Amino acid sequence: MNSRRDFLQQLAATAIALPLLPLAGWAHGSNSRDMPHGPVLRVAIMGLGGYGTMVAEAMRACVKAKLTGVISGTPAKIKDWQSRFSIPEKNCYNYENFDQIKDNKDIDVVYITTPNALHHDQVIRVAAAGKHVICEKPMALNAREGMEMVAACKKANVQLLVGYRMHFEPKTLEIIRMRKSGDFGKILFFQGLCGFRIGDPNQWRLNKQLAGGGSLMDIGIYAINGSRYMVGEEPVWVTAQETKTDLVKFKEGVDETIQFQLGFPGGAVASCLSTYNMNNLDRFFLNGEKGFAELQPSTGYGPIKGRTNKGELTHPHVTHQTVQMEEMAGIILEGKQPVVPVNGEEGVKDLKIIDAIYQAVKTGGKVDLSL
């Protein structure tokens, strides 16, 4: 998978040459997003790091969603974003006072892109302020936290969505359509390989208190989630094994490499790998009695490349976060139902599997799942 660092190195070029959206009016130029297109989802981003920047830049091409606010603990970043994205002072908050967004009619939803360990409390606070929430994955550190977040949002009558950008990716959706149509026949096997060699040993992703784990929480979740939407069933058991070669970089509780296997009620099995110590791993493979599908790269920032037994998939690439935010605006504002769910309940299912994988690593046995 392309790392976040790889993306950020390309960010300036991407911002200059955002791909055109297949949406009416956009071809008339950058001012067209100010023309009437119906309701617009007004978004505040919480956490102005690498991924928050990626989402913000991608939203420049959105018609249904607009960046209107920021939440950060770094005043210098807030000032920079105010200038870059024309955000008024009244829509800028820090981590101490962002509860005040409840009185701000310029903000409909908060997109949380902070470290994993912060998601739980921040989602609950945003919900209490009466705003919808989009939370990056993994949604929380464990399933218990995730269920508390879902309950808090239901109590506040706000929507909780998770940043599953691949659920809107055209080649991925085409494979799901073909599987549902029976093109591959009975599904027998899925393989998901996700990994890259991580850099700075001092980054938060290698801090158990902030990340909740290691590669599994960051990159392995793509294989976990992908196995479910590619096979089209919920797994009923898991086994897992951990390999660690660098005890300095990957301290106690921070996994370097985990291999895990999933069993599905229809008889299909999945074999997956998550690692922070190998490059060139970003591949999904689905095998059925009548055909196959392959994505490689499968979850990187794009373009995704895919083929099936019927030939190459040729859908054009559009920046994933642009499509995601357009579709999420449709979900929140128009009640649209995505092909693959992106709600909090979907996030909890992945967290239950993550909990089970860590349990299987620890016990060396098979762990039953009930999603």
Side-chain angles (χ1 to χ4, degrees):
M1 173 181 181
N2 297 336
S3 69
R4 292 171 174 81
R5 178 173 296 179
D6 292 336
F7 181 91
L8 293 174
Q9 290 173 346
Q10 302 169 13
L11 190 57
T14 304
I16 293 171
L18 281 171
L20 295 178
L21 281 174
L23 294 168
W26 182 250
H28 297 297
S30 60
N31 290 333
S32 66
R33 70 174 304 213
D34 298 322
M35 296 170 62
H37 292 281
V40 174
L41 186 69
R42 296 162 297 185
V43 183
I45 291 181
M46 179 186 295
L48 309 186
Y51 197 74
T53 301
M54 193 183 309
V55 173
E57 293 290 352
M59 285 178 63
R60 292 185 187 274
C62 286
V63 172
K64 294 182 180 180
K66 180 180 180 181
L67 178 64
T68 59
V70 295
I71 303 169
S72 174
T74 307
K77 286 185 178 180
I78 292 177
K79 290 296 183 184
D80 176 52
W81 278 52
Q82 281 187 268
S83 174
R84 292 169 63 187
F85 300 105
S86 302
I87 298 170
E89 182 71 31
K90 67 183 181 66
N91 293 352
C92 299
Y93 301 87
N94 58 45
Y95 294 131
E96 286 71 45
N97 68 9
F98 75 79
D99 308 271
Q100 296 173 14
I101 60 172
K102 68 180 179 180
D103 300 317
N104 193 327
K105 295 181 179 180
D106 289 346
I107 297 172
D108 301 313
V109 61
V110 176
Y111 194 150
I112 296 174
T113 66
T114 55
N116 306 337
L118 306 180
H119 294 174
H120 173 267
D121 291 352
Q122 290 172 342
V123 165
I124 290 174
R125 284 177 63 186
V126 171
K131 303 298 182 181
H132 301 296
V133 194
I134 303 170
C135 184
E136 255 315 301
K137 57 194 178 301
M139 192 174 81
L141 297 185
N142 52 58
R144 176 189 57 79
E145 284 192 355
M147 288 186 286
E148 290 174 356
M149 294 155 70
V150 169
C153 290
K154 285 185 176 179
K155 180 180 178 181
N157 197 30
V158 299
Q159 293 203 48
L160 170 58
L161 306 181
V162 185
Y164 289 115
R165 59 187 168 83
M166 303 312 300
H167 292 197
F168 307 109
E169 197 281 316
K171 296 182 180 70
T172 300
L173 290 175
E174 174 61 12
I175 290 174
I176 292 172
R177 185 199 66 77
M178 292 178 68
R179 187 253 301 154
K180 288 181 175 179
S181 298
D183 289 8
F184 307 131
K186 178 181 171 63
I187 300 301
L188 304 173
F189 177 73
F190 171 79
Q191 182 187 52
L193 304 177
C194 298
F196 61 92
R197 188 180 292 273
I198 200 166
D200 180 8
N202 298 313
Q203 62 180 281
W204 71 263
R205 291 179 184 85
L206 297 176
N207 181 328
K208 178 174 171 53
Q209 282 65 46
L210 288 176
S215 69
L216 188 68
M217 298 292 285
D218 181 38
I219 191 71
I221 191 170
Y222 285 98
I224 292 169
N225 191 251
S227 71
R228 296 173 51 227
Y229 61 68
M230 294 285 274
V231 173
E233 295 180 350
E234 301 294 6
V236 292
W237 59 259
V238 61
T239 54
Q241 308 80 38
E242 180 179 8
T243 303
K244 187 174 290 191
T245 64
D246 188 340
L247 299 179
V248 176
K249 179 179 285 188
F250 304 102
K251 298 178 174 59
E252 180 68 25
V254 179
D255 48 282
E256 174 186 326
T257 300
I258 290 183
Q259 298 175 75
F260 58 94
Q261 302 78 40
L262 300 166
F264 296 85
V269 292
S271 177
C272 303
L273 183 144
S274 166
T275 185
Y276 267 162
N277 202 29
M278 288 179 258
N279 288 325
N280 308 310
L281 289 176
D282 184 10
R283 179 177 184 264
F284 283 0
F285 180 78
L286 184 71
N287 194 36
E289 288 184 335
K290 294 166 55 178
F292 73 89
E294 180 184 41
L295 293 171
Q296 186 175 12
S298 58
T299 64
Y301 295 130
I304 301 301
K305 295 183 179 180
R307 66 188 181 103
T308 74
N309 54 291
K310 295 187 175 183
E312 183 180 359
L313 300 177
T314 58
H315 305 70
H317 171 69
V318 179
T319 302
H320 294 174
Q321 293 79 9
T322 303
V323 179
Q324 173 191 318
M325 295 308 297
E326 288 288 285
E327 293 296 324
M328 287 186 166
I331 292 169
I332 293 173
L333 297 176
E334 303 165 12
K336 289 182 65 176
Q337 295 299 314
V339 173
V340 185
V342 291
N343 53 30
E345 288 83 357
E346 177 81 356
V348 169
K349 290 178 180 179
D350 283 341
L351 291 170
K352 286 182 176 179
I353 298 173
I354 288 174
D355 289 349
I357 289 172
Y358 282 133
Q359 182 182 347
V361 166
K362 185 176 181 180
T363 64
K366 179 184 289 187
V367 177
D368 291 332
L369 289 166
S370 179
L371 305 185

